Each structure stands twice: as structure tokens, then as C-alpha cells.
């Protein structure tokens, strides 16, 4: 029996969630993958997968075995690369997943120069506000905000981005100017809803070292940040946007910032910033191509993206 190929079949089936999906990932037929699984279970003398015509699940023994062998193929590949091309430049596919707004407004403008620096890389940018599965979707690295973090991922903080509450001059002329975040309950607010679980992105504020969340009045809702921006530009209400999105509109006066600090403010509160993390599936995912991307991103963002909380 080819034990390594049997283990590879087992790993891919678990990651894909089905024998058919594992077979597609390996370029084999489902029958061949099933035979590899049967040989592996016979070799171990234990059932790894509980299979029916409609479902498949790891047995307790299968879960334990998967945790012990899931890095084998990656370790072998990295070992081979280390001894055969120790000084070569990064090459192959690099898949980067990002929240939609950060990917569109920050990463996408930076990637062409990164690609020019490393021409042997094939780079794919996946933009989504759901939580991607690194293993099943073949993602090398993901950029996530705090609500998207997961316990099993390795996360490195890369940026802290200011949020700004703002509205158009037209909306403020008709609805009035809220003096404090507490006054937002009297205004129409433009709110982001996470597309995966339906939660609102809360509007956190800091005042005198204490955090609190603003309460909304009537709301307009979208699962797309750029749609909320367009609503605000067209007198739709008050919204809360990352500075990298709203800055051009503030500079031209199309949007007006709210709750700005002034020496006369008795109850000054500022929007809570957004933390962005670079996430890896595990320590083995820190390959050469991921490391150069991480270094490049941190160089590009620089100290200006590390405002104080």
C-alpha cells in the first residue's frame, strides 16, 4: 500500500467534506479515493470516517488521526523547497482573502506593485465578508477585522484604522446636527449588516477611557460598505466609515465629519477604531511567499496605520 497517498486522500476528503470533493482536489476518481480510504482504515485497523449515502463525518479516532497527519503533505513540500531552492524568489499561487472594503480600497491598489516585484507569483485576491476556510478554499493568508477572527487561526495585528461618523451637508441641513453619539437615536443611520450571520456592525465609541455603543434611530441597511457610502453622499443619513473610504469625500466637502474634538466639548466621544489582522491557518502556513507579502503590506501601511486606540 502507498501509505502517503492514502493519507493524502484522507486529508483532502476531510478538507473538502466529501469523497467527491477530495477526489476533485487530487485529480482522481471517487472510486480510487474510496479505495485509498479503505486501505488506510484496514492498515490502521480502525474506522476513520462514518459514511452513509447522504453524509460523512469523522469518527473520534478519525478526528485524532487527522490532527496528527494534516500537516504531512505541507511539511514535505516545504522541506523539498528548502533544500532544492533555498535562495529562489517566491513563486507559485498566492491566494489572499480579505474583507470586501479593505480588499477593494487598500489591498487592490497595492497588489500590482507587489506582483511586479515578484513576477513568478500568481496572485488571487478573494474579497468577501464571510469567514473563509483556509484549507478547503486553498487560501494562504486572510486579512480580517476583529469580529471575523477565529480561535484556531494565527493572527498578527497589521493595522488600526480610524472610523469617522459622517453625513452629507444636505442631510444635516434638513435633519440637524447631532451633538453626541447619544443623539443618533433621533437620526436616520446607515448601518452595515454582516452577510453571514445577519448581525449589525455596532458603532462603538470611547469616552474618558470607557467604551459604549450608540443606539440607532431609523436605519437604512446594506451588506456592502460602498453602498452605504453612496447612500450617505445622496443625503440618506449618518453613517460610520473607515477613514480610508471616507477621506476623499471629507476633503472635498461632500461628507462632513461628526463628533470632532474641540476644547469646548464637555462630553467628547470618538469612534472606536477598527483593528485589522493578517491570519494564517497555522505556523506551517508562513511560507516564503506569505512572508514577503506580509513584509510588503506592513511596509506599505507604515506607522500612519497604527493610530492609538
Amino acid at each position: 500500500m502507498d501509505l502517503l497517498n492514502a493519507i493524502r486522500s484522507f486529508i483532502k476528503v476531510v478538507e473538502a467534506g466529501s469523497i467527491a470533493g477530495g477526489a476533485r482536489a487530487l485529480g482522481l476518481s471517487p472510486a480510487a479515493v474510496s479505495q485509498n480510504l479503505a486501505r488506510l482504515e484496514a492498515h490502521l485497523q480502525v474506522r476513520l470516517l462514518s459514511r452513509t449515502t447522504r453524509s460523512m463525518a469523522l469518527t473520534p479516532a478519525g478526528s485524532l488521526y487527522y490532527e496528527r497527519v494534516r500537516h504531512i503533505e505541507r511539511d514535505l513540500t516545504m522541506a523539498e523547497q528548502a533544500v532544492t531552492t533555498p535562495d529562489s524568489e517566491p513563486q507559485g499561487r498566492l491566494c489572499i482573502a480579505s474583507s470586501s472594503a479593505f480588499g477593494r480600497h487598500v489591498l487592490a491598489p497595492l497588489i500590482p506593485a507587489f506582483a511586479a516585484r515578484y513576477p513568478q507569483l500568481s496572485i488571487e485576491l478573494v474579497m468577501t465578508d464571510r469567514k473563509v476556510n483556509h484549507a478547503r478554499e486553498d487560501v494562504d493568508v486572510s486579512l480580517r477585522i476583529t469580529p471575523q477572527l477565529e480561535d484556531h487561526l494565527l493572527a498578527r495585528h497589521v493595522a488600526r484604522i480610524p472610523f469617522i461618523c459622517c453625513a452629507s451637508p444636505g442631510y444635516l441641513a434638513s435633519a440637524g446636527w447631532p451633538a453626541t453619539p447619544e443623539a443618533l437615536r433621533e437620526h436616520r443611520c446607515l448601518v452595515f449588516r454582516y452577510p453571514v450571520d445577519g448581525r449589525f456592525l455596532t458603532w462603538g465609541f470611547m469616552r474618558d477611557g470607557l467604551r459604549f455603543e450608540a443606539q440607532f434611530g431609523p436605519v437604512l441597511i446594506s451588506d456592502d460598505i460602498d453602498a452605504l457610502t453612496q447612500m450617505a453622499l445622496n443625503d440618506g443619513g449618518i453613517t460610520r466609515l473607515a477613514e480610508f473610504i471616507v477621506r476623499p469625500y471629507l476633503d472635498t466637502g461632500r461628507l462632513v465629519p461628526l463628533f470632532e474634538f474641540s476644547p469646548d466639548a464637555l462630553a467628547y466621544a470618538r469612534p472606536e477604531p477598527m483593528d485589522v489582522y493578517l491570519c494564517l491557518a497555522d505556523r506551517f502556513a508562513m511560507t516564503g511567499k506569505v512572508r514577503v507579502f506580509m513584509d510588503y503590506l506592513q511596509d506599505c501601511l507604515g506607522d500612519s496605520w497604527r493610530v492609538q486606540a
Side-chain angles (χ1 to χ4, degrees), residues 234-252:
N234 288 276
D235 305 335
I238 297 172
T239 193
R240 177 176 174 270
L241 300 171
E243 186 177 27
F244 63 75
I245 297 173
V246 76
R247 177 51 57 190
Y249 305 113
L250 299 178
D251 291 343
T252 59

Side-chain angles (χ1 to χ4, degrees), residues 21-56:
R24 284 192 297 269
L26 291 166
L28 300 174
S29 68
V33 171
S34 292
Q35 290 174 0
N36 283 341
L37 292 176
R39 294 187 185 107
L40 180 60
E41 289 178 328
H43 171 74
L44 297 171
Q45 296 186 335
V46 66
R47 182 170 293 280
L48 301 174
L49 294 165
S50 176
R51 303 186 287 277
T52 69
T53 56
R54 294 187 176 183
S55 66
M56 183 195 75

Side-chain angles (χ1 to χ4, degrees), residues 155-208:
R156 176 175 294 188
H157 186 266
V158 294
R160 177 165 290 147
I161 302 168
F163 267 111
I164 296 175
C165 288
C166 56
S168 68
Y171 173 81
L172 294 173
S174 64
W177 197 300
T180 66
E182 285 82 355
L184 288 171
R185 62 172 60 94
E186 307 299 329
H187 285 264
R188 186 166 63 241
C189 296
L190 313 178
V191 182
F192 178 80
R193 188 195 294 276
Y194 287 105
V196 176
D197 56 19
R199 293 180 298 118
F200 285 150
L201 178 61
T202 58
W203 292 15
F205 288 85
M206 300 298 296
R207 177 188 286 140
D208 296 331

Side-chain angles (χ1 to χ4, degrees), residues 256-275:
V256 178
L258 303 175
F259 316 128
E260 294 275 89
F261 174 77
S262 71
D264 298 329
L266 298 178
Y268 172 64
R270 60 188 175 92
E272 184 181 34
M274 175 177 69
D275 287 304

Side-chain angles (χ1 to χ4, degrees), residues 51-285:
R51 303 186 287 277
T52 69
T53 56
R54 294 187 176 183
S55 66
M56 183 195 75
L58 284 166
T59 65
S63 295
L64 177 63
Y65 191 70
Y66 175 71
E67 288 302 315
R68 298 297 178 91
V69 302
R70 65 191 181 99
H71 299 305
I72 285 178
E73 185 177 11
R74 183 182 299 171
D75 289 351
L76 289 173
T77 300
M78 292 176 63
E80 182 179 343
Q81 291 176 348
V83 299
T84 57
T85 56
D87 300 318
S88 66
E89 70 175 72
Q91 56 187 299
R93 178 178 179 270
L94 175 64
C95 184
I96 306 162
S98 171
S99 60
S100 296
F102 192 81
R104 181 177 297 113
H105 294 275
V106 179
L107 291 184
L110 297 178
I111 283 178
F114 177 72
R117 183 180 298 184
Y118 300 102
Q120 296 190 56
L121 281 178
S122 174
I123 302 168
E124 180 176 354
L125 176 60
V126 176
M127 298 192 305
T128 177
D129 290 308
R130 62 178 174 80
K131 295 177 181 179
V132 299
N133 185 302
H134 281 229
R136 292 183 182 178
E137 300 178 60
D138 201 17
V139 169
D140 295 290
V141 59
S142 62
L143 279 298
R144 304 186 181 207
I145 61 176
T146 303
Q148 297 173 319
L149 294 180
E150 297 176 272
D151 291 340
H152 65 276
L153 296 176
L154 296 181
R156 176 175 294 188
H157 186 266
V158 294
R160 177 165 290 147
I161 302 168
F163 267 111
I164 296 175
C165 288
C166 56
S168 68
Y171 173 81
L172 294 173
S174 64
W177 197 300
T180 66
E182 285 82 355
L184 288 171
R185 62 172 60 94
E186 307 299 329
H187 285 264
R188 186 166 63 241
C189 296
L190 313 178
V191 182
F192 178 80
R193 188 195 294 276
Y194 287 105
V196 176
D197 56 19
R199 293 180 298 118
F200 285 150
L201 178 61
T202 58
W203 292 15
F205 288 85
M206 300 298 296
R207 177 188 286 140
D208 296 331
L210 299 176
R211 183 186 184 276
F212 66 98
E213 293 182 1
Q215 301 301 309
F216 306 132
V219 293
L220 295 178
I221 304 166
S222 179
D223 63 355
D224 182 83
I225 292 294
D226 289 326
L228 295 174
T229 305
Q230 290 302 314
M231 292 180 192
L233 289 167
N234 288 276
D235 305 335
I238 297 172
T239 193
R240 177 176 174 270
L241 300 171
E243 186 177 27
F244 63 75
I245 297 173
V246 76
R247 177 51 57 190
Y249 305 113
L250 299 178
D251 291 343
T252 59
R254 295 187 65 192
L255 291 175
V256 178
L258 303 175
F259 316 128
E260 294 275 89
F261 174 77
S262 71
D264 298 329
L266 298 178
Y268 172 64
R270 60 188 175 92
E272 184 181 34
M274 175 177 69
D275 287 304
V276 179
Y277 297 84
L278 185 147
C279 297
L280 305 174
D282 49 50
R283 62 187 178 87
F284 298 102

